[in-house]
Amino acid sequence: AYSGTDKLLLYVMFLSGCRVSEALDIRPSRISPSGQVLLRGLKGSDDRVINIGSMARYGVDNIILASYDIELRSRFSMYRLLKRLGFSQYFGESPVPSVTHIFRHMYIREQSEQGIELTTTQRAVGHKNINNTKHYANGQRRRSGRDKGNTL
């Protein structure tokens, strides 16, 4: 089982395609009573606001309470949670370097499949360079010198 804090983190990552580090940086003071969450842009990206109002049945007060425990989480604990929940299977046999980016892949692919402009998606996920967004939209992973032929 997983906690309300884990649910909050998973939901925010799913809803926004944000980085794990951005979700882990959420603080109670950045959540409004209406369910708006300020995500601090990391890795040079801009700050942005997402709406988690659709989590209303969970209750914004519960969301704020859950956010107090976010500081107790780490990228590694999120990695373990995602593996335990079976999200690594999303990539099949592909040697993806980190399952923690799964919601970025899913979000950007979904936006692309819905015909949303790539520049709109770029802003939504905080990419400075459109090529990073294209990389996710095309289902490719970063390539090192030894694995140039691999794609998702």
Side-chain angles (χ1 to χ4, degrees):
Y2 47 100
S3 71
T5 301
D6 294 333
K7 289 178 189 177
L8 171 63
L9 290 166
L10 293 170
Y11 189 78
V12 166
M13 289 187 298
F14 174 77
L15 183 67
S16 67
C18 72
R19 295 172 182 90
V20 170
S21 55
E22 291 169 332
L24 291 171
D25 193 48
I26 293 173
R27 296 296 175 258
S29 61
R30 296 190 202 140
I31 303 172
S32 76
S34 63
Q36 299 277 325
V37 178
L38 174 64
L39 291 179
R40 293 282 184 208
L42 302 176
K43 290 186 148 183
S45 66
D46 295 328
D47 292 353
R48 55 202 185 278
V49 175
I50 62 165
N51 185 353
I52 59 171
S54 56
M55 270 186 88
R57 64 184 168 87
Y58 187 61
V60 174
D61 289 342
N62 287 334
I63 293 167
I64 292 170
L65 284 174
S67 69
Y68 280 100
D69 288 335
I70 288 177
E71 292 179 32
L72 304 175
R73 303 296 190 278
S74 67
R75 286 179 49 89
F76 185 67
S77 67
M78 291 308 298
Y79 169 80
R80 285 192 321 252
L81 175 65
L82 291 166
K83 293 284 274 188
R84 189 172 66 241
L85 294 174
F87 281 103
S88 58
Q89 295 174 22
Y90 175 80
F91 295 111
E93 297 298 317
S94 179
V96 175
S98 177
V99 72
T100 57
H101 276 70
I102 190 166
F103 292 114
R104 286 180 83 68
H105 283 274
M106 294 168 87
Y107 180 86
I108 294 170
R109 282 188 190 171
E110 179 69 23
Q111 298 285 301
S112 179
E113 289 170 7
Q114 289 182 12
I116 295 172
E117 290 288 328
L118 207 53
T119 53
T120 301
T121 302
Q122 174 191 8
R123 282 189 303 277
V125 298
H127 283 153
K128 288 289 187 186
N129 186 325
I130 192 71
N131 290 325
N132 292 335
T133 311
K134 287 178 184 177
H135 149 78
Y136 286 97
N138 295 330
Q140 298 174 339
R141 70 181 199 93
R142 290 186 192 245
R143 298 176 189 166
S144 68
R146 63 177 185 260
D147 65 357
K148 291 227 183 249
N150 291 337
T151 58
L152 289 179

